[in-house]
């Protein structure tokens, strides 16, 4: 019975989080300790590993730890409603809004969230692997034409924007392409990328050597 009780209470519990406005100086800790997708519980575990008393989630995928707030007068935020990168059904702060809570962990460590791989190649699975657009021996124009021919009108329209919905006909999940092309490859899990000159700002410079 005691073993079952310990198992039931293993991991981390998040209770009564408080939403504050964060600042560039950070009101909790100093560095984001999340190296991948998070949930409030997993952020608590990361902070427990460092033996901190408080944990805070921010901007969906950031986690901060500390023993106390870095300010005596924290400002309440209106909402910490950004979905967590490790579980979209949970909330992890917001843009410069941090959800702070006590670290309460015991027993076996809280496991890291299991999420869908960032790279999804439909050509590795059936039935798409048998379709012409997945046949690497065919000319690229033939493969593109085959893929487009399989898409519905709704899917084609959706693919014209930055935030493309799921394309079921090609086995592709939703994806935000950041179509202004000012950044290198990135995702909500990894936002550190190479930044390229943005066409509009380059034009505004009136410096012909940049064109």
């Amino acid at each position: 019975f005691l073993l079952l009780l310990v198992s039931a209470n293993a991991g981390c519990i998040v209770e009564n989080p408080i939403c504050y406005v964060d600042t560039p100086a950070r009101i909790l800790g100093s560095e984001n300790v999340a190296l991948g997708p998070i949930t409030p519980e997993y952020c608590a575990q990361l902070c427990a590993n460092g033996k901190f008393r408080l944990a805070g989630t921010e901007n969906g995928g950031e986690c901060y730890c500390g023993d106390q707030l870095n300010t005596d007068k924290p400002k309440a935020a209106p909402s910490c409603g950004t979905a967590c990168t490790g579980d979209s059904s949970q909330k992890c702060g917001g843009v410069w809004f941090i959800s702070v809570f006590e670290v309460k962990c015991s027993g076996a460590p809280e496991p890291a969230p299991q999420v869908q791989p960032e790279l999804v190649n439909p050509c590795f699975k059936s039935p798409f692997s048998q379709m012409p657009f997945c046949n690497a021996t065919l000319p690229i124009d033939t493969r593109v034409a085959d893929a487009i021919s399989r898409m519905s009108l709704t899917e084609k329209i959706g693919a014209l924007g930055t935030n493309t919905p799921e394309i079921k006909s090609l086995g592709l999940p939703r994806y935000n392409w950041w179509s202004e092309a000012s950044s290198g490859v990135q995702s909500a899990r990894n936002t550190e990328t190479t930044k390229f000159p943005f066409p509009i700002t380059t034009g505004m410079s009136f410096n012909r050597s940049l064109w």
Side-chain angles (χ1 to χ4, degrees):
F1 174 78
L2 181 59
L3 179 61
L4 292 176
L5 181 61
V6 171
S7 299
N9 293 329
C12 300
I13 299 174
V14 174
E15 298 177 320
N16 305 316
I18 302 177
C19 189
Y20 295 115
V21 175
D22 203 0
T23 69
R26 300 300 176 190
I27 68 168
L28 180 66
S30 59
E31 296 183 1
N32 172 24
V33 300
L35 298 178
I38 67 166
T39 61
E41 292 79 11
Y42 188 59
C43 177
Q45 183 63 61
L46 293 176
C47 295
N49 295 344
K51 301 186 184 305
F52 291 103
R53 293 181 52 252
L54 298 177
T57 58
E58 184 169 331
N59 201 27
E62 300 173 14
C63 176
Y64 298 89
C65 308
D67 290 324
Q68 61 185 20
L69 297 181
N70 299 328
T71 176
D72 294 331
K73 298 180 179 180
K75 182 179 179 181
S79 174
C80 285
T82 299
C84 302
T85 52
D87 182 355
S88 60
S89 69
Q90 298 193 73
K91 307 303 180 185
C92 287
V95 179
W96 290 109
F97 293 165
I98 183 170
S99 179
V100 179
F101 45 88
E102 291 186 25
V103 173
K104 296 182 179 180
C105 301
S106 63
E110 185 77 27
Q114 298 297 312
V115 296
Q116 180 175 314
E118 294 193 52
L119 177 62
V120 178
N121 189 340
C123 295
F124 290 154
K125 59 185 179 181
S126 185
F128 306 104
S129 59
Q130 305 302 315
M131 297 179 180
F133 75 85
C134 283
N135 187 343
T137 65
L138 296 177
I140 187 64
D141 289 346
T142 300
R143 298 174 67 187
V144 170
D146 177 70
I148 293 176
S149 70
R150 297 176 185 278
M151 296 171 65
S152 68
L153 179 59
T154 300
E155 289 175 332
K156 291 176 181 177
I157 294 174
L160 294 176
T162 290
N163 201 0
T164 301
E166 178 185 12
I167 303 178
K168 291 184 178 181
S169 61
L170 302 181
L172 295 172
R174 64 174 297 277
Y175 191 80
N176 188 339
W177 295 92
W178 279 43
S179 58
E180 83 284 355
S182 66
S183 301
V185 177
Q186 77 164 48
S187 71
R189 308 178 205 172
N190 178 15
T191 58
E192 297 181 2
T193 66
T194 301
K195 303 300 180 184
F196 303 104
F198 195 62
I200 295 176
T201 53
T202 301
M204 289 176 178
S205 71
F206 296 102
N207 185 341
R208 290 182 180 273
S209 67
L210 296 178
W211 298 354

